[in-house]
Amino acid sequence: MSSEIHKYIESAIEKNLNAEVINFPKEKKIKEITNLNKSNYYVWKINDKSNDDQLKAVTGICLMLGALIVMGLYSNLL
């Protein structure tokens, strides 16, 4: 039974597929960067004026985690 279904599927695929092979052009090689100076990199700083809201968020998360750790230690020890 399965061989009959397999033959039917193969014949159906051969009838319905009219595919062509597409030849893609040769991919371009990416030029390697040879001059890697530290001055070319942009470093994200949390203390910038443009990141003021992000600094407040990080500070708030750190304070909250610190407070939870202190409360957890206090409740376990007493």
Side-chain angles (χ1 to χ4, degrees):
M1 179 83 171
S2 65
S3 63
E4 292 174 0
I5 294 173
H6 184 66
K7 288 178 185 178
Y8 174 75
I9 291 173
E10 284 182 357
S11 63
I13 289 174
E14 289 175 2
K15 288 179 185 176
N16 292 332
L17 284 181
N18 294 325
E20 297 178 13
V21 176
I22 299 173
N23 292 327
F24 290 104
K26 189 175 181 180
E27 292 185 20
K28 296 178 182 178
K29 291 186 178 181
I30 299 174
K31 295 180 183 178
E32 294 182 16
I33 299 173
T34 56
N35 187 8
L36 298 175
N37 293 334
K38 264 194 160 181
S39 61
N40 293 341
Y41 293 117
Y42 173 75
V43 179
W44 179 71
K45 295 180 183 177
I46 192 76
N47 293 334
D48 285 345
K49 290 182 180 179
S50 62
N51 296 332
D52 190 37
D53 57 339
Q54 294 175 358
L55 176 63
K56 289 179 183 179
V58 170
T59 305
I61 291 170
C62 291
L63 288 175
M64 183 60 66
L65 288 175
L68 289 173
I69 288 172
V70 168
M71 286 188 279
L73 288 174
Y74 180 75
S75 66
N76 274 335
L77 295 176
L78 296 178

